[in-house]
Amino acid sequence: MHFKHPEVLYFLFLLLLPILVHLFQLRRFKTEYFTNVRFLSELVVQTRKSSKLKKYLLLFTRLLLLAFLILAFTQPYFEAKDHKNATNELYIVLDNSFSMQAKGKKGELLKRAVQDLLENAPENSNFSLITCTDNFWNTDIKSVQKELQNLSYSATPFQPERVLAKIKAHPTAFKKDIVVISDGVGLGANAFGEPQPNENLYFIIPEAEKTNNVAIDSVYMHQTLDQFYEIGVAVTAYGNDFKDIPLAIYNKGKLVAKTLVNFKQPKQQLKFNLPKEDFHGYVTLNDNALEYDNTYYFSLSQPQKNNVISIGPSSASAFLKKIYTPEEFNYSHYELRNLDYNAIEKQDAIIVNELQDIPSALQTTLKAFVAKGGNVVLIPGANSNRTALNALTKALGGDYSYGNWKMEEQLISKINFKHPLYRTVFEKETNNFQYPKTKGSYTIQSALPSVLEYNDQRSFLSATTNGIAQIYFFAAPINSDNSNFCNSPYLIVPTFYTMALSAQKTGINALIIGDNKPFITNSMLGKDEIVSVTNGKESFIPVQQIMNQKVKLTFNDHPNTAGNFQIDRKGQFMENLSFNYARTESNLNNRVADFVNEHKEIDSADRLFDTLQADRNDTPIWKWFLIASLLFILLEVAIQKWVK
């Protein structure tokens, strides 16, 4: 037993007062006259015995009365079992990512978790609430009640390391109790690290009853036909035992295509033909699991001709005219001595083809061109200056260097079908084709992924990207004297055709929220002019960089909600653009069993708060001492009345 005010115990000296009063009864005796004293002696003896007993009972009662009263004022208590953590600050981490849309026994996991907090969090306790999107520091349940009730799902996935960094950065002199409410979807093993000495981690893990889910992963351009776009829709079923699900495509709110998806295989690639005109809509399906990944928004614009130039000997570039036809490309060829440097910035792709030397001025211009989103293809010549080649690869940001020239015939026998250059080109993978070859090539030192490989696994074509531009490096010249690559239509046409395409002109405009992938739009802006992105419900101004006749837009974590948007300048329409949520939460089975690691797991919020209160709060007992004092008062009255 402990006392909040132990100094009051000094008043126990007051117990001497009733003792002194009982020892020295300073009462005056009064003479009484009796007419007959024959029976007085026996009566006096009996009275003295009962009076002595009564006196001791009263003394004992008054001592206990005074002692218990004094002890009540000291406010005695029993110390809590976990009293060392009684001053800990409470932090509640609430996962409001899209996987919490899943349904448990009592409804959606997030809504049930919010309701549990509102019902069970102590009203007089301060805590901090951290979600994927918002932070509420040093608040209480009444202050955040409205925010919790209106809490929406976050386009940002749940990131434990980011949340814990926020909590660690929050200054405090006390230890921290961190309560994490999350289903754990998408989290790896030991996602929250090892237990820290100044932190107590508790987990409440709501679980979905059904983990089956169907998601639209992406929409991509499969091929461009004369009158149609052939688009592909990638759909994945997570779980088992799926029935046919309807899928539909809408353009500006109007239904344009519909089909049933049969999940004989968990991954399905559906093909649709859309007219070659502006498209601004979405593809959607219906399932009974997560809702956020049932719709994929995308935009298509009327195709524009891509601007392509090649720089090098005319004899080595003749094959390019057959690929870059006037119907789809604005193609030009320049000898190095006749190159118009001012024309470079207006291009979408530049092919540097077998130059013997690459001037530093051209290297600087190409570096700026790539930084603004232009594609570059570098084809070395057998007699090229290797120092100039490597200086250019370094300027373009590629981890790629040319070594010695080696005369050795090699077959080009391996295609990386999963590379973005070929992802939408070939309907199926095949290794049964007439392999092209080269008579000589450079030895290469590179960590870049290979697009095409020789039969000895050396790279023939490598690629890299800076996020908005693609850079391609050949290991050997492809002129007819050194290679028959130009005579292989299975490879030469799709390779150079796709290299020259600008994703901003002929691809699908569909970005992922939070991906931070830049978007290039063709527009001439003044110094003080800005563009905005809007869809009527939401509007924001992206980070923008003017690049001559283009504008580079970066969206960071905007917008908040997926949908079809448009880019405006001073209220005037510029271009359609769509945003989607990342599909990182679609697989509800994507959870490692030991992501909690050595931390404590608790069933529910009410049990958590009950446990913390029971273990951390002292048990006051002063009321019982006060009640005992009152009982002794009643006992004294009873003694006075009934004991003679």
Side-chain angles (χ1 to χ4, degrees):
M1 185 171 67
H2 300 268
F3 304 97
K4 286 189 177 181
H5 304 289
E7 64 276 5
V8 178
L9 292 174
Y10 287 111
F11 286 93
L12 289 175
F13 286 110
L14 295 177
L15 295 177
L16 295 174
L17 292 179
I19 295 174
L20 293 175
V21 170
H22 281 268
L23 288 177
F24 305 100
Q25 294 188 12
L26 303 176
R27 292 188 298 173
R28 292 183 181 181
F29 291 95
K30 183 178 180 182
T31 304
E32 294 288 345
Y33 296 97
F34 294 88
T35 57
N36 191 340
V37 294
R38 205 172 20 166
F39 303 104
L40 186 60
S41 178
E42 182 180 357
L43 182 63
V44 169
V45 174
Q46 293 176 354
T47 303
R48 283 179 179 176
K49 289 180 180 179
S50 61
S51 177
K52 191 175 182 180
L53 176 62
K54 182 178 181 179
K55 180 174 68 173
Y56 283 114
L57 287 175
L58 290 174
L59 174 61
F60 181 72
T61 304
R62 288 167 181 170
L63 287 174
L64 290 177
L65 166 62
L66 188 57
F68 275 85
L69 190 61
I70 293 171
L71 290 173
F73 280 99
T74 64
Q75 295 190 26
Y77 63 91
F78 290 120
E79 193 173 59
K81 179 172 64 175
D82 193 18
H83 67 279
K84 293 182 179 180
N85 292 317
T87 59
N88 287 10
E89 288 190 356
L90 178 61
Y91 296 82
I92 299 176
V93 178
L94 181 57
D95 178 4
N96 62 325
S97 61
F98 281 113
S99 64
M100 295 286 282
Q101 269 187 347
K103 296 177 177 61
K105 294 181 180 180
K106 298 181 180 179
E108 291 185 16
L109 300 184
L110 178 62
K111 293 181 179 179
R112 184 65 254 176
V114 168
Q115 191 62 32
D116 286 345
L117 285 176
L118 293 174
E119 291 177 355
N120 299 295
E123 294 185 359
N124 56 349
S125 294
N126 283 353
F127 61 88
S128 297
L129 176 66
I130 301 97
T131 69
C132 297
T133 51
D134 300 300
N135 306 315
F136 304 95
W137 302 105
N138 299 324
T139 184
D140 56 70
I141 195 64
K142 285 187 176 180
S143 301
V144 295
Q145 179 178 356
K146 185 176 180 181
E147 286 78 6
L148 278 173
Q149 290 173 337
N150 296 328
L151 184 64
S152 58
Y153 293 98
S154 166
T156 305
F158 183 52
Q159 300 172 326
E161 65 282 356
R162 185 176 178 182
V163 172
L164 292 179
K166 289 181 182 180
I167 295 175
K168 289 178 180 178
H170 194 65
T172 180
F174 304 100
K175 289 184 177 181
K176 300 174 180 178
D177 291 326
I178 304 174
V179 180
V180 180
I181 305 175
S182 172
D183 59 356
V185 171
L187 303 185
N190 200 19
F192 290 84
E194 298 297 328
Q196 300 298 316
N198 63 335
E199 295 176 353
N200 295 318
L201 265 173
Y202 302 90
F203 286 85
I204 300 175
I205 305 176
E207 295 191 5
E209 283 192 307
K210 297 180 180 179
T211 56
N212 281 2
N213 182 48
V214 178
I216 301 176
D217 294 328
S218 62
V219 175
Y220 58 91
M221 181 69 69
H222 184 256
Q223 61 179 333
T224 302
L225 305 175
D226 291 338
Q227 301 296 327
F228 297 94
Y229 292 119
E230 186 178 31
I231 66 166
V233 180
V235 183
T236 301
Y238 300 97
N240 50 57
D241 191 23
F242 288 94
K243 297 180 180 179
D244 292 353
I245 294 179
L247 183 144
I249 297 179
Y250 291 84
N251 182 19
K252 299 176 183 177
K254 295 182 179 180
L255 178 67
V256 295
K258 192 172 184 179
T259 189
L260 282 177
V261 187
N262 182 284
F263 290 102
K264 294 181 180 179
Q265 298 293 330
K267 291 184 177 292
Q268 297 290 326
Q269 305 288 333
L270 308 175
K271 304 296 190 300
F272 296 91
N273 287 337
L274 299 179
K276 256 189 178 178
E277 59 185 26
D278 286 350
F279 182 95
H280 197 47
Y282 56 91
V283 54
T284 184
L285 57 79
N286 293 318
D287 73 338
N288 296 323
L290 301 181
E291 296 180 6
Y292 90 98
D293 54 13
N294 290 350
T295 302
Y296 196 95
Y297 299 91
F298 66 100
S299 301
L300 286 169
S301 299
Q302 190 73 19
Q304 302 176 29
K305 290 185 179 182
N306 285 265
N307 301 320
V308 183
I309 62 172
S310 61
I311 308 170
S314 298
S315 58
S317 304
F319 72 96
L320 294 174
K321 290 183 180 180
K322 300 177 182 179
I323 299 174
Y324 301 133
T325 58
E327 291 78 16
E328 295 185 80
F329 296 91
N330 294 318
Y331 170 72
S332 302
H333 172 73
Y334 291 92
E335 298 275 350
L336 180 60
R337 63 180 180 272
N338 299 325
L339 177 61
D340 180 6
Y341 280 81
N342 293 326
I344 290 180
E345 65 182 26
K346 301 176 183 178
Q347 306 305 310
D348 296 302
I350 296 176
I351 301 170
V352 181
N353 190 11
E354 299 190 31
L355 291 178
Q356 289 190 358
D357 194 17
I358 304 175
S360 57
L362 180 57
Q363 295 178 27
T364 303
T365 304
L366 291 177
K367 180 181 179 181
F369 175 73
V370 167
K372 295 176 181 179
N375 295 349
V376 170
V377 181
L378 178 58
I379 307 172
N383 299 318
S384 293
N385 183 336
R386 286 193 292 114
T387 302
L389 284 175
N390 291 329
L392 178 58
T393 61
K394 184 177 180 180
L396 297 180
D399 184 8
Y400 193 93
S401 63
Y402 289 91
N404 296 324
W405 174 261
K406 184 178 181 181
M407 288 298 299
E408 181 182 6
E409 186 172 293
Q410 293 285 343
L411 294 178
I412 304 167
S413 60
K414 185 177 180 180
I415 304 173
N416 184 358
F417 291 98
K418 295 182 180 180
H419 192 275
L421 184 67
Y422 294 139
R423 188 177 296 162
T424 61
V425 172
F426 299 102
E427 291 187 358
K428 61 180 180 178
E429 298 183 13
T430 179
N431 293 317
N432 186 18
F433 62 96
Q434 187 176 0
Y435 301 144
K437 62 184 178 180
T438 61
K439 297 177 181 179
S441 63
Y442 287 94
T443 58
I444 300 299
Q445 291 183 349
S446 173
L448 301 180
S450 296
V451 182
L452 296 173
E453 288 185 359
Y454 288 115
N455 55 355
D456 63 356
Q457 297 184 343
R458 291 189 299 116
S459 176
F460 170 69
L461 174 60
S462 300
T464 186
T465 180
N466 63 358
I468 56 175
Q470 308 295 324
I471 307 100
Y472 301 94
F473 304 101
F474 281 87
I478 57 175
N479 60 63
S480 58
D481 293 333
N482 186 66
S483 174
N484 63 349
F485 184 74
C486 292
N487 297 325
S488 176
Y490 182 79
L491 284 180
I492 186 70
V493 174
T495 298
F496 277 88
Y497 183 92
T498 311
M499 282 178 176
L501 294 182
S502 168
Q504 312 298 332
K505 284 190 174 182
T506 60
I508 290 178
N509 293 343
L511 302 180
I512 301 300
I513 298 174
D515 192 26
N516 281 337
K517 182 179 180 180
F519 182 82
I520 306 295
T521 181
N522 295 324
S523 178
M524 293 285 292
L525 291 183
K527 291 183 178 180
D528 298 328
E529 288 186 318
I530 60 173
V531 300
S532 61
V533 180
T534 182
N535 68 349
K537 297 179 180 179
E538 185 176 356
S539 179
F540 63 94
I541 298 174
V543 178
Q544 44 205 285
Q545 178 184 356
I546 299 176
M547 302 185 305
N548 299 327
Q549 296 179 345
K550 301 178 181 179
V551 182
K552 176 183 175 182
L553 304 179
T554 307
F555 306 99
N556 297 324
D557 291 332
H558 290 97
N560 296 321
T561 307
N564 296 121
F565 289 76
Q566 66 181 35
I567 303 173
D568 291 343
R569 179 183 63 182
K570 293 183 177 180
Q572 299 296 318
F573 170 80
M574 291 174 57
E575 191 169 357
N576 285 325
L577 185 61
S578 299
F579 291 90
N580 294 281
Y581 302 119
R583 267 41 178 176
T584 54
E585 314 256 330
S586 295
N587 186 0
L588 295 176
N589 295 306
N590 183 22
R591 187 181 73 180
V592 178
D594 60 346
F595 81 95
V596 173
N597 199 14
E598 300 177 8
H599 307 295
K600 300 176 183 177
E601 184 178 345
I602 297 180
D603 294 339
S604 59
D606 57 341
R607 185 173 178 182
L608 168 73
F609 291 117
D610 289 344
T611 301
L612 290 181
Q613 286 184 340
D615 293 345
R616 304 282 179 80
N617 292 342
D618 298 325
T619 305
I621 55 175
W622 62 270
K623 295 179 181 179
W624 297 107
F625 282 88
L626 190 59
I627 292 172
S629 300
L630 294 175
L631 291 176
F632 284 120
I633 291 175
L634 296 176
L635 182 58
E636 181 179 355
V637 172
I639 292 172
Q640 293 280 15
K641 184 175 182 181
W642 304 106
V643 180
K644 300 297 182 182

